């Protein structure tokens, strides 16, 4: 009689399905065939990509839409190693990810060395944890991995799956699940101090970070800011958690020296700084210790203990953001803030610093694209000079309306992220913004875009240079070395992979290309030709 008990791989896949996962990405090898089969049987579609690194970014993009952990699948040896960058990115960008790698059985590894290496040793420093799947412990390991990946702050968890273990039938499994943790708010003296500091503040300022995206406190955060009339900035990852057209919003912060020139003096003028889920891993060194907690009141509400030392606070509350703000606000009356209207002045100065009316160049491309595409458009940004400018100029009306690698700042993420977004949201416009160097890193994934269908738009800033690095060379009065390359026909690449391609040189041509791309039945590559040095004085 056929044994109908589940395989260990089935138990793992079923727990991932239970966690809300419906998509997995990667490249299969013989060592993960059972795992891929189990995922499909559980209801999780496996998507073939052209590189494991791109697979992880597609998985991350899906996570940003459905909230379930991202799933990356890689075979042993070179497959597992190809995913290193995106897993490190998930750790720094706080993305819950389950990294599934295949491996040979322990007994076989004693005498067989081809492609065999210690995956766990490699992944240990770039994950929250690493496990070796066992047959009888498969369900527990799966639940531990999902729970650990989602616990504050979220991140990747690695599971190595031996071939024979994946195939082993398991009987009599008792499912175990870690209980949900209730939101916690402070009380006693700490709460009273926080309430008093907020009530006394005449010039309060809030800095909002990505913890707010994971503790479901966005509505409370907005109500709190509005009640106490507190202006705010966000990290790039938290853009849109309160719509950026809000009168209190001063935009994103953390990487643009030009923006920081206006924002940091405002922080210095504040008599109370509220760090709301603020994780400074996204911020440039200019934000390190920009206040003295001995002389400035700072309340830090975070998901974990502040051990980064990027800043210190006079009041550290490790608690749920929403529950804490509700406790602080209860019975606390509103008052007029910033009698000198300094935030309004800063907002006007930022608008002048990042104008939208240039004839052509990177700022004009961003402004024209934002004007043409519908408000519900989802966007991705690759690393480079264009990302800094884009993150200041691309207004978001919802959280995760613009996603990027904002902590690790890795190149090559925008194209696969856009592919993942389009898979998760097929009825919404999706666009990626890449520099030409970053686009070349992942151009092969255009074939994946073609195979998955849909009409994502891939916009490329073409200046044949690593613009941000070239700018830094000039600022340090160094010679031009290792930053320039040839101009290539990116539009032709799009057509070669089965999509559409346009090369544009002005706003009219860009507008026409965007209009066509929105109506297209396949993906479109838009190559926007710009002059070198176009970012000078703009970021």
């Amino acid at each position: 009689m056929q044994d109908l008990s589940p395989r260990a791989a089935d138990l793992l896949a079923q727990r991932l399905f239970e966690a809300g996962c419906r998509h997995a990405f990667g490249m299969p090898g013989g060592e993960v065939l059972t795992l891929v089969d189990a995922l499909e049987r559980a209801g999780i579609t496996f998507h073939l990509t052209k590189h494991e690194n791109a697979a992880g970014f597609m998985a991350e993009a899906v996570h940003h839409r459905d909230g379930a952990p991202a799933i990356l699948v890689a075979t042993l040896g070179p497959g597992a190693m190809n995913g290193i960058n995106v897993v490190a990115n998930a750790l720094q960008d706080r993305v819950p990810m389950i990294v599934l790698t295949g491996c040979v059985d322990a007994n076989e590894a004693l005498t067989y060395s081809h492609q065999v290496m210690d995956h766990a040793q490699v992944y240990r420093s770039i994950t929250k944890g690493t496990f070796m799947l066992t047959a009888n412990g498969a369900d527990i390991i799966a639940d531990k991995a999902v729970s650990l990946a989602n616990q504050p702050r979220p991140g990747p968890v690695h599971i190595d799956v031996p071939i024979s273990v994946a195939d082993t039938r398991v009987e009599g499994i008792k499912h175990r699940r870690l209980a949900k943790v209730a939101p916690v708010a402070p009380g006693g003296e700490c709460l009273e101090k926080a309430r008093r500091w907020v009530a006394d503040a005449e010039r309060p300022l809030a800095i909002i970070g990505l913890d707010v995206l994971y503790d479901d406190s966005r509505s409370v955060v907005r109500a709190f800011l509005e009640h106490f009339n507190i202006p705010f900035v966000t990290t790039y990852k938290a853009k849109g958690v309160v719509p950026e057209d809000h009168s209190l919003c001063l935009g994103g912060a953390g990487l643009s020296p030009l923006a920081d020139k206006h924002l940091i003096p405002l922080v210095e003028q504040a008599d109370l700084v509220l760090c709301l889920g603020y994780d400074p891993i996204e911020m440039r060194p200019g934000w390190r210790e920009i206040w003295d907690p001995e002389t400035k009141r700072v309340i830090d509400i975070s998901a974990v203990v502040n051990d980064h030392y990027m800043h210190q606070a006079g009041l550290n509350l490790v608690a749920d953001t929403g529950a804490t703000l509700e406790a602080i606000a209860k019975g606390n009356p509103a008052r007029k803030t910033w009698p000198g209207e300094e935030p309004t002045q800063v907002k006007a100065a930022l608008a002048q610093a990042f104008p939208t009316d240039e004839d052509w160049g990177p700022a004009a491309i961003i402004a024209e694209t934002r004007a043409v595409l519908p408000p519900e458009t989802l966007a991705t940004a690759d690393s480079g000079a264009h990302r800094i400018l884009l993150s200041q100029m691309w207004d978001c009306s919802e959280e995760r309306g613009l996603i990027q690698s904002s902590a690790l700042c890795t190149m090559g993420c925008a194209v696969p992220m856009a592919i993942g977004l389009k898979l998760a949201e097929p009825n919404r416009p999706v666009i990626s913004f890449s520099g030409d160097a970053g686009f070349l890193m992942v151009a092969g994934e255009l074939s994946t875009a073609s195979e998955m269908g849909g009409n994502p738009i891939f916009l490329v800033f073409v200046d044949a240079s690593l613009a941000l690095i070239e700018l830094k060379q000039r600022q340090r009065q160094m010679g031009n070395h290792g930053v320039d390359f040839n101009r290539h026909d990116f539009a032709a690449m799009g057509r070669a992979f089965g999509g559409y391609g346009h090369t544009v040189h002005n706003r009219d041509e860009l507008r026409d290309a965007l209009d066509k791309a929105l109506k297209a039945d396949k993906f479109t590559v838009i190559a926007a030709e710009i002059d070198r040095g176009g970012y000078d004085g703009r970021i």
Side-chain angles (χ1 to χ4, degrees), residues 211-223:
D211 284 354
V212 172
L213 303 184
Y214 288 104
D215 64 11
D216 201 27
S217 61
R218 63 195 67 80
S219 297
V220 176
V221 167
R222 177 171 181 170

Side-chain angles (χ1 to χ4, degrees), residues 247-464:
S247 60
L248 293 170
C249 182
L250 298 170
L255 279 181
S256 168
L258 180 57
D260 289 351
K261 183 175 73 173
H262 301 284
L263 293 172
I264 288 179
L266 192 67
V267 175
E268 293 170 343
Q269 293 176 60
D271 60 2
L272 174 66
V273 176
L274 290 154
C275 299
L276 308 181
Y278 170 44
D279 181 353
I281 197 168
E282 297 182 64
M283 311 298 268
R284 60 186 284 269
W287 283 77
R288 184 188 296 134
E289 296 184 330
I290 61 173
W291 55 70
D292 182 354
E294 297 295 327
T295 59
K296 188 187 298 290
R297 290 179 170 180
V298 179
I299 302 174
D300 194 345
I301 305 171
S302 60
V304 298
V305 172
N306 173 350
D307 59 3
H308 47 69
Y309 291 91
M310 273 284 286
H311 68 257
Q312 295 298 307
L315 189 55
N316 290 279
L317 306 176
V318 181
D320 179 83
T321 311
T324 301
L325 293 181
E326 286 182 331
I328 292 173
K330 188 175 182 180
N332 214 346
R335 62 178 295 173
K336 181 176 175 58
T337 63
W338 294 93
E341 301 292 335
E342 291 88 349
T344 301
Q345 297 163 20
V346 169
K347 194 166 188 174
L350 285 168
Q352 288 185 341
F354 299 96
T356 61
D357 58 355
E358 288 187 346
D359 289 338
W360 190 240
I365 292 167
I366 295 167
E368 191 67 30
T369 303
R370 178 71 280 187
V372 171
L373 296 184
E376 67 270 19
T377 298
L378 300 174
T380 70
D382 213 5
S383 284
H386 69 280
R387 178 175 80 93
I388 299 175
L389 190 58
L390 181 78
S391 296
Q392 297 301 138
M393 296 183 64
W394 189 267
D395 288 341
C396 293
S397 59
E398 62 181 292
E399 63 186 56
R400 299 185 172 100
L402 171 66
I403 61 174
Q404 54 190 289
S405 172
S406 55
L408 192 63
C409 297
T410 186
M411 292 173 67
C413 68
V415 167
M417 278 182 166
I419 295 172
L421 286 180
K422 194 63 181 181
L423 177 68
E425 298 276 10
N427 296 321
R428 295 183 66 169
V430 172
I431 186 169
S432 73
F433 294 90
S434 302
D436 40 9
F439 187 86
L440 288 170
M441 288 182 175
V442 292
E445 296 299 338
L446 292 178
S447 62
T448 307
S450 178
E451 291 154 6
M452 287 191 180
N455 63 342
I457 304 168
F458 306 111
L459 193 150
V460 188
F461 295 84
V462 182
D463 58 5

Side-chain angles (χ1 to χ4, degrees), residues 146-213:
V146 169
S147 299
L148 182 58
N150 282 313
Q151 286 170 20
R153 291 181 165 122
V157 176
H158 168 241
I159 304 176
D160 222 8
V161 183
I163 299 171
S164 65
V165 170
D167 281 312
T168 300
R169 299 284 177 178
V170 185
E171 297 180 351
I173 291 297
K174 179 182 179 181
H175 294 285
R176 295 175 175 86
R177 298 290 179 264
L178 189 67
K180 289 186 177 181
V181 179
V184 175
E189 183 180 342
C190 288
L191 175 60
E192 289 309 310
K193 180 184 284 189
R195 286 171 51 80
R196 186 172 68 254
W197 283 9
V198 170
D200 292 346
E202 292 186 354
R203 299 182 307 279
L205 183 74
I207 306 174
I208 304 174
L210 56 78
D211 284 354
V212 172
L213 303 184

Side-chain angles (χ1 to χ4, degrees), residues 479-536:
N480 182 288
H481 302 294
V483 293
D484 294 339
F485 45 91
N486 292 337
R487 288 183 181 256
H488 301 286
D489 192 340
F490 294 93
M493 293 182 197
R495 293 189 292 270
F497 280 102
Y500 300 102
H502 307 280
T503 301
V504 300
H505 306 87
N506 54 59
R507 282 185 180 247
D508 289 339
E509 291 177 355
L510 174 59
R511 189 182 309 115
D512 181 62
L514 289 168
D515 285 336
K516 290 178 179 176
L518 285 171
K519 301 169 185 174
D521 58 344
K522 295 177 289 188
F523 75 85
T524 299
V525 175
I526 300 176
E529 297 271 355
I530 58 176
D531 293 332
R532 294 188 182 188
Y535 298 97
D536 288 5

